[in-house]
Every structure is written in structure tokens, then in C-alpha cells.
Amino acid sequence: MSEAATGARGTAVHFGAGNIGRGFVGLLLHNAGYRLVFADVAAPLIDAINATPSYTVHEVGEGGVDHVVDGYAAVNSATNEAELVDRIAEAEIVTTAVGPNILKFVAPAIARGIAARPAGAGPLAVMACENAINATDILEAEIRAAAAGEGLDDAAVDARAVFANTAVDRIVPTQDPSGGLDVRVEPYFEWAIEQEPFGDTVPEIPGVTWVDSLGPYIERKLFTVNTGHASAAYFGRRAGAEKISDALAMPEVRAKVEAVLAETKALLVAKYGFAPEQQQAYVEKILGRFANPELPDPVERVGRAPLRKLSRHERFVGPAAELAERGMPADALLEAMGAALAFDAADDEEAQRLQAMLAGESTDEVLVEEITGLAAGHPLHPAVAARVKEARAAQPD
């Protein structure tokens, strides 16, 4: 096991030792001088990390450089909770990149670590780095519920921990398994963290953007990067593309993705007052990132979990619903939803469940609410019902 580098600032425990954990959040924490401890349930991955003294993050594309990460440790959170709790108890920072649905499973260990913090220790900074709006709020609620079982009320938790929402953005595609722990990523990244919970003592993490209000940053990223990425995947798969960069090279697919992002741009400008030219420049940068041929990201990987992506406050229905409520068009987003409804992959449980729902006996109107969470009276409901009807008609006999 490789331990901390001399002169490190303190310990940072990161849940999720996968490609995003190693190639983005873990990298920034390492570069900030923290002793990095990965926590994961995948035993082979934990064993590999503990047996390997360093790995390299390769930034591929224009301006990319290599970063060597070392001085870390890893803990199996499924089989070695006692060590994990000890690590959290002594840490300065806890971060996650496990997926929003997994946060409830990591919360109890974090709560126990908070309860075990020694007297006089500073508050633990807890930040969920997930592709979800205000994911730290979700994690915080689970931690507070678990902490009650450890004898900590809300005031005691407040004295020992600080919770801050974040917005993260970096494309980390499917990796070559022969690369070991090395990770290929794009050069671009953004990690925005709300500053207010920390007061005047924010953690020192070079590369972080500290913001007063995270809402606009979260939605700008979700409704541009995530919406655009998924749109390219679903339109691209329908057009026969294998990779996102291939899909963006198809004029008809690029035009559809651009139309989707024109609608989300209109919403972001109207809702948050972004300058139209500023948001358009952001859109063009995002499209350039998707088209990077050095990041061979399969459309099937990006399109996975269509039910989550079609849920009420996610990348398609979220902005489309707000546009409809404002009386603004959402035709391109609706077309993207139609492409998502057609997504079928044998090894994707959500895709299989979605197709089973479409092949079932429920009415189109009921299915809209089951899939998207849109109530029957919502102004977007009829248009989505029409897309559901089209998807059902296209089902194989």
C-alpha cells in the first residue's frame, strides 16, 4: 500500500475508485496535496490500487498533459468498514462519485466517521460530485438520518461537518482495460462548489471554481453538457454511429443536437440572465469536446440508463417542462426524448425495463407519468404522450 506523500495537507476520502474518481476528483485532491484514500466495493479494483504505487491520468486532445498520481491508499467499503470509518474520522474532506442512487448506501459509513471524529477536529467537508442537481443535499439527508442512530442530533452534525453542493464536468470515456489504473480524460474540466457553507475558510483545492450560487452552474452544465451528450448518443445510435465523435461528424445528427441545445440555451438565458453570446460560446465549446476524436466514447455507454435520463428533473424532461411552462418551444427536446424511448441494449437493465413498459398494457397517458413523472395536466404532457405512442407503434411484433 502506497501511503501519503510527505508534506500533504490532510486526508481526503473519495467514494468511487472508478475512472471518474481516479481521473477527475481524486486527481484534483491529490494535486491539492491531500492524502488520498479511495473507498469502493469492487474488491479487484481496491486490490489493484493497493498493489500499484502510482497511476497516470492522460489528458488526450489539444493541450493535454499527463499527471502522475501517487501517495494514495484504498479501502474496501463493503468488507472493511472499521478502517473506512477511521479514515473518515481523521479526514478533512469526503467526496463521492458513485451515482446518485448509491448515496444512501455510503451515508451510514460517513455518519459513523463523523460520530468518531476526535474532539477539537475541524468540520469534515462533505461534497457529492454526481451528475445530479444538488446531490449533496441528498447525501446530507441520508447522513443526518444515519447520524441519529449514532446519537448525533442535527446540531451535533452541524458542529462536525459542512455540506456543500457541487457541479462537476469532465468527459471520462470507456477505458482500454489493458491500461491498468491509468485513465484517459479530456483536458477540459470544471468543478464548481458553493462557497457559503464554508464561510471564510474554504478548502484549498486548485482548479475549483467557488461560487455564491450554484444553481445556474448546475443547470447550465446539466442542460448543456448532459443534455447534449445524451442527445448525441440517442440520435447517433439511431443513425448507426458507434461513437459520440462519429455521431457529431454526421451533419444530420449534429443539426439535431444543435437544435436541442438552442432550446436549452433559450431557457438558461430566460431563467438566469446568461448573455446569449456567452451561452452560445459555451455550447460551441461543449460540441467541440464531444467531437474530440481522441475520446472514443461509445454511444451505447452514453445512452445507458434511459429511464433515469427521462425522469422528471433530468436532462430532457426538466428543461422541456420549464420551456412548456413558459410557453416556449421544446420540439427538439421532444424529438430527443423520442430517440431515448427507442434506446434498447441487451446489457442495460433500464433499457430493457423501458422497452417492457412500452410493450405493456398501460395507456400512453399513464406511461408518460410512469416514465417521466409528468402529471396529466402539465402543458408538456400531450406532446410527450404523442412520442410515447410513436415509440409503442415502432415496437417489434
Side-chain angles (χ1 to χ4, degrees):
M1 179 184 296
S2 175
E3 277 295 350
T6 302
R9 177 171 289 126
T11 300
V13 176
H14 177 77
F15 284 84
N19 298 324
I20 293 173
R22 300 196 313 280
F24 182 12
V25 181
L27 170 64
L28 265 66
L29 292 171
H30 170 271
N31 288 348
Y34 288 94
R35 298 187 296 267
L36 187 58
V37 178
F38 290 108
D40 207 294
V41 297
L45 177 57
I46 292 299
D47 291 344
I49 292 173
N50 281 328
T52 308
S54 68
Y55 67 87
T56 302
V57 178
H58 305 277
E59 294 178 349
V60 295
E62 184 177 353
V65 299
D66 287 352
H67 301 270
V68 175
V69 180
D70 57 12
Y72 47 74
V75 179
N76 189 319
S77 53
T79 62
N80 199 356
E81 184 177 300
E83 181 184 352
L84 176 60
V85 169
D86 288 344
R87 295 284 195 171
I88 294 169
E90 69 179 19
E92 293 185 9
I93 293 176
V94 167
T95 53
T96 73
V98 295
N101 295 333
I102 305 299
L103 293 174
K104 61 185 176 183
F105 298 114
V106 306
I110 299 174
R112 283 189 274 276
I114 291 172
R117 290 181 76 74
L124 177 69
V126 180
M127 298 175 286
C129 306
E130 312 289 349
N131 276 328
I133 295 175
N134 294 337
T136 303
D137 289 347
I138 299 171
L139 178 59
E140 179 182 359
E142 297 287 350
I143 290 172
R144 289 185 183 277
E150 302 296 324
L152 299 182
D153 59 15
D154 283 344
V157 173
D158 290 339
R160 298 167 182 239
V162 173
F163 301 91
N165 283 299
T166 81
V168 291
D169 183 8
R170 183 170 229 177
I171 296 174
V172 182
T174 301
Q175 305 291 306
D176 181 351
S178 67
L181 294 178
D182 287 6
V183 188
R184 289 165 57 87
V185 302
E186 65 169 334
Y188 176 91
F189 72 85
E190 182 176 64
W191 186 5
I193 305 175
E194 58 183 353
Q195 180 170 320
E196 182 181 1
F198 296 101
D200 296 329
T201 56
V202 299
E204 295 182 32
I205 309 174
V208 161
T209 300
W210 296 97
V211 299
D212 294 328
S213 176
L214 194 64
Y217 285 85
I218 291 176
E219 289 206 346
R220 184 188 68 160
K221 187 265 180 176
L222 181 63
F223 295 165
T224 310
V225 180
N226 296 83
T227 303
H229 213 203
S231 297
Y234 295 131
F235 288 136
R237 195 168 194 266
R238 194 166 66 180
E242 293 186 1
K243 298 180 292 187
I244 296 295
S245 55
D246 295 339
L248 267 295
M250 298 177 172
E252 68 277 14
V253 171
R254 186 180 180 98
K256 290 180 184 298
V257 176
E258 288 177 342
V260 167
L261 296 184
E263 290 178 352
T264 59
K265 168 190 168 182
L267 173 63
L268 291 165
V269 168
K271 185 175 181 179
Y272 293 116
F274 287 119
E277 61 276 12
Q278 178 190 39
Q279 180 59 20
Q280 186 58 38
Y282 184 65
V283 167
E284 295 299 331
K285 175 179 286 189
I286 298 309
L287 290 171
R289 293 166 59 199
F290 294 164
N292 183 352
E294 299 294 329
L295 293 170
D297 215 357
V299 297
E300 193 159 311
R301 185 201 74 82
V302 178
R304 292 184 68 82
L307 281 172
R308 176 172 63 83
K309 293 179 171 69
L310 285 166
S311 60
R312 179 62 179 86
H313 298 289
E314 261 281 352
R315 61 205 72 191
F316 294 123
V317 180
E322 290 196 52
L323 286 166
E325 291 162 6
R326 291 170 177 264
M328 300 167 69
D331 297 335
L333 280 160
L334 285 162
E335 186 175 359
M337 287 184 226
L341 288 167
F343 182 78
D344 191 5
D347 63 344
D348 182 357
E349 181 182 344
E350 279 197 20
Q352 292 300 300
R353 192 158 74 248
L354 172 59
Q355 296 310 310
M357 293 170 71
L358 292 172
E361 299 298 324
S362 295
T363 65
D364 299 339
E365 290 72 19
V366 169
L367 273 179
V368 170
E369 186 159 5
E370 289 179 350
I371 294 170
T372 69
L374 284 170
H378 194 279
L380 190 67
H381 190 281
V384 178
R387 292 294 176 177
V388 168
K389 184 175 183 179
E390 292 173 3
R392 302 185 82 174
Q395 288 273 304
D397 296 330

